[in-house]
Amino acid sequence: MSTLTNDAQQTSGDQNRGSDQNPGSAQNRGSAQNHGAAVGLTADKITIRGGIPLVGRIEVKGAKNLVTKAMVAALLGETPSLLQDVPNISDVRIVRGLLEVHGVKVTEGDEPGDLILDPVGVESAHFAAIDAHAGSSRIPILFCGPLLHRLGEAFIPDLGGCRIGDRPIDFHLDVLRKFGAVVEKQPNGIRMSAPNGLKGTKVELPYPSVGATEQVLLTAVRAEGITELKGAAIEPEIMDLINILQKMGAIITVDTDRVIRIEGVERLEGYRHRALFDRNEAASWAAAALATDGDIFVGGARQSEMLTFLNVFRKVGGAFEIHDDGIRFYHPGGVLKPVIIETDVHPGFMTDWQQPLVIALTKAHGTSIVHETVYEQRFGFVDALVEMGATIQIHRECLGGHPCRFGQRNFNHSAVITGPTKLHGADIVVPDLRGGFSHLIAALSADGASTVSNVGIISRGYENFITKLRLLGADFDLEG
Ligand code: EPU
């Protein structure tokens, strides 16, 4: 049994907030301890005794990839906003800290997960304060449009994020320049100003980037005139951000073929919004159910945003039941089957789903292929699986389907998984958020004990994952 489940002690108040929880230097950013500590997880290592099916019910709250952007959107309002179903994860803490250093008052509301964001006192923040609060998140880049509207200037420090490729911000900078921002590179970050205000523009993205689409939306809603965005990302989290902006008073039209039109308005109000559920967390628990021969009811999960995942889950041999209040994911018995997956932008198979599912594919009878077309380096987590007994080869070629933009370059972005293999316990180190959760699944499904280090990083996107593991019957101990 678990002896310590210290993320159950996560605080919802102000205690853990502020610069003492966030590293003050670029070197310190992104360490597991800092991520976990920000949400009350003091352990960095977990020893898991695998082979026990995960069974039970857990709940998912609002999507990390929507909630953090919704918090930034509150900067655009003249009145306070209420965001509901906010998970207690370290990425939320980072955005909260960044909003607070810019003068936004952030308080908890009546219900657990309610966050009230009052932007009335928005002010410029000192460079050092922004740098100290930025953590390893990429969200600061999305502050630029709203801050340029409100204050005429913005600063972003060097950005972090998961180590899953270069993750450049060139699309973001190009977009901001098109709106009229002056972008100045400085030794420790980028300063922006808008001496003549921001004006609507025509943008065509070279790739349907989620972040760059959000950049356009958050900037165009208050820019003067009309903005036309071609090549937009249309992920459900983006549609929910559009819902929020419309509630605030924005005029946004979503046309066919990835075209979004925005008519700038002079004033936006605060919003009241319940965040879209976290489909990435839901898919991760689904994959955990399948890999451990388990049965997990994910409260809050919905079918329509997971359609593509559910098809693949069924093809592999998993079963699910759709309920009004969630989805039950389970292993129905029988052998798992191999699949060919290509990750893609919505409505394709999400890149964030592939790592957790790969663990189940090591148990499938036959050869599976995963072609990663969104990030060039998202197979860093595989080395540990091979050490645990999986047969996985990584290739530079585009395997399994269409050539992608990484094909003629030197990126190991296709995986061939041959199964079934039995995983055995090992000492492994979490490389990034989704890879980290997949390491947990691997350890939970393996024979014997595994020690997984650097687990704090998982707190970036999985609320109370230690408590949830305990609820599902996992057998583990935590170490500091
Ligand atoms: N890209 C550029 N230049 C840019 C921006 C992106 O070349 O200026 C490239 C990226 O390097 C990447 C591709 O475009 O190869 C897609 O990046 P995108 O901008 O779509 O991703 P993002 O906005 O940085 C969000 C999520 C990711 C998720 C992706 C794809 C957040 C905070 N992050 O990232 O989530 O994988 O969209 O859906 O919303 C995660 O949750 O673990 C995670 C990594």
Side-chain angles (χ1 to χ4, degrees):
M1 278 298 294
S2 61
T3 54
L4 256 173
T5 54
N6 63 1
D7 72 1
Q9 301 153 9
Q10 286 176 352
T11 52
S12 60
D14 287 352
Q15 295 103 305
N16 279 342
R17 201 183 65 226
S19 55
D20 58 339
Q21 296 300 333
N22 284 296
S25 70
Q27 293 96 304
N28 283 339
R29 285 202 202 128
S31 84
Q33 199 58 45
N34 285 321
H35 282 294
V39 290
L41 173 66
T42 53
D44 185 38
K45 227 182 233 185
I46 175 167
T47 298
I48 295 176
R49 289 167 289 280
I52 298 174
L54 294 187
V55 178
R57 174 174 177 138
I58 50 102
E59 307 294 322
V60 293
K61 282 216 195 89
K64 164 179 92 69
N65 293 347
L66 174 269
V67 162
T68 43
K69 302 18 167 345
M71 291 170 74
V72 178
L75 270 175
L76 290 161
E78 302 294 331
T79 52
S81 292
L82 169 63
L83 184 60
Q84 297 183 290
D85 269 354
V86 177
N88 189 16
I89 52 176
S90 59
D91 271 16
V92 165
R93 292 269 154 179
I94 287 169
V95 181
R96 179 177 182 157
L98 281 167
L99 287 169
E100 285 171 337
V101 298
H102 284 97
V104 178
K105 206 169 148 221
V106 185
T107 48
E108 272 80 32
D110 297 338
E111 304 283 327
D114 278 5
L115 219 50
I116 299 162
L117 306 127
D118 183 350
V120 172
V122 168
E123 59 189 8
S124 290
H126 195 270
F127 167 90
I130 301 172
D131 195 38
H133 282 80
S136 61
S137 171
R138 283 170 59 81
I139 299 294
I141 186 79
L142 293 177
F143 275 65
C144 294
L147 286 180
L148 285 171
H149 282 304
R150 298 220 46 154
L151 304 170
E153 64 167 7
F155 175 81
I156 46 161
D158 290 330
L159 298 175
C162 275
R163 282 171 289 143
I164 52 179
D166 267 353
R167 304 196 73 184
I169 54 168
D170 50 337
F171 301 165
H172 294 259
L173 299 182
D174 289 349
V175 160
L176 287 161
R177 282 194 192 99
K178 285 205 150 195
F179 280 102
V182 175
V183 178
E184 247 178 282
K185 294 214 168 121
Q186 294 188 340
N188 37 11
I190 295 170
R191 186 178 176 276
M192 282 178 216
S193 55
N196 303 314
L198 298 175
K199 306 222 168 19
T201 182
K202 286 194 179 204
V203 180
E204 180 154 10
L205 293 177
Y207 181 81
S209 152
V210 168
T213 300
E214 292 158 344
Q215 185 73 262
V216 172
L217 289 168
L218 290 166
T219 308
V221 284
R222 284 275 318 272
E224 191 190 319
I226 294 179
T227 296
E228 181 186 80
L229 169 63
K230 287 188 177 165
I234 50 165
E235 267 63 9
E237 292 78 14
I238 287 176
M239 293 303 136
D240 210 32
L241 181 62
I242 291 175
N243 292 340
I244 289 171
L245 293 168
Q246 189 181 53
K247 284 179 177 179
M248 297 177 80
I251 301 171
I252 303 174
T253 314
V254 182
D255 287 345
T256 49
D257 296 334
R258 300 188 177 276
V259 177
I260 299 180
R261 281 193 187 77
I262 305 118
E263 283 180 43
V265 295
E266 275 178 18
R267 184 185 162 100
L268 294 169
E269 303 299 329
Y271 62 82
R272 183 190 178 101
H273 190 76
R274 188 171 294 281
L276 174 74
F277 79 99
D278 197 316
R279 64 200 175 111
N280 293 342
E281 184 182 355
S284 301
W285 290 113
L290 194 57
T292 64
D293 292 334
D295 188 337
I296 301 179
F297 189 99
V298 181
R302 292 199 319 227
Q303 180 180 16
S304 54
E305 292 81 5
M306 297 192 74
L307 219 60
T308 306
F309 177 83
L310 293 172
N311 285 336
V312 174
F313 191 75
R314 179 172 276 160
K315 275 161 85 171
V316 177
F320 57 85
E321 280 170 12
I322 311 290
H323 294 253
D324 287 347
D325 59 340
I327 305 180
R328 174 188 170 208
F329 297 96
Y330 60 102
H331 191 314
V335 297
L336 297 186
K337 288 160 278 185
V339 284
I340 294 175
I341 301 171
E342 273 188 299
T343 66
D344 207 346
V345 294
H346 188 77
F349 189 90
M350 275 205 84
T351 169
D352 301 291
W353 297 336
Q354 62 96 343
Q355 295 99 322
L357 202 66
V358 161
I359 313 304
L361 296 182
T362 67
K363 295 166 192 298
H365 289 239
T367 301
S368 297
I369 292 173
V370 180
H371 180 203
E372 170 61 59
T373 78
V374 179
Y375 292 112
E376 66 272 31
Q377 279 180 43
R378 223 175 186 182
F379 286 117
F381 71 106
V382 156
D383 291 349
L385 306 182
V386 171
E387 205 184 314
M388 295 174 82
T391 306
I392 304 178
Q393 288 164 333
I394 306 293
H395 296 267
R396 276 195 292 269
E397 291 77 9
C398 296
L399 298 182
H402 310 99
C404 76
R405 63 208 165 106
F406 305 135
Q408 297 309 314
R409 298 159 72 194
N410 211 18
F411 296 125
N412 285 319
H413 70 293
S414 293
V416 177
I417 303 132
T418 310
T421 47
K422 207 140 188 44
L423 300 184
H424 52 76
D427 288 355
I428 50 183
V429 182
V430 163
D432 61 68
L433 172 63
R434 305 293 167 197
F437 196 85
S438 77
H439 282 181
L440 288 185
I441 301 175
L444 289 160
S445 67
D447 282 345
S450 298
T451 302
V452 189
S453 311
N454 208 15
V455 291
I457 208 166
I458 298 172
S459 307
R460 274 195 51 209
Y462 293 88
E463 183 183 47
N464 291 342
F465 70 93
I466 296 293
T467 307
K468 289 176 183 173
L469 286 175
R470 185 163 51 96
L471 276 173
L472 297 170
D475 180 5
F476 61 88
D477 297 307
L478 294 177
E479 284 174 51

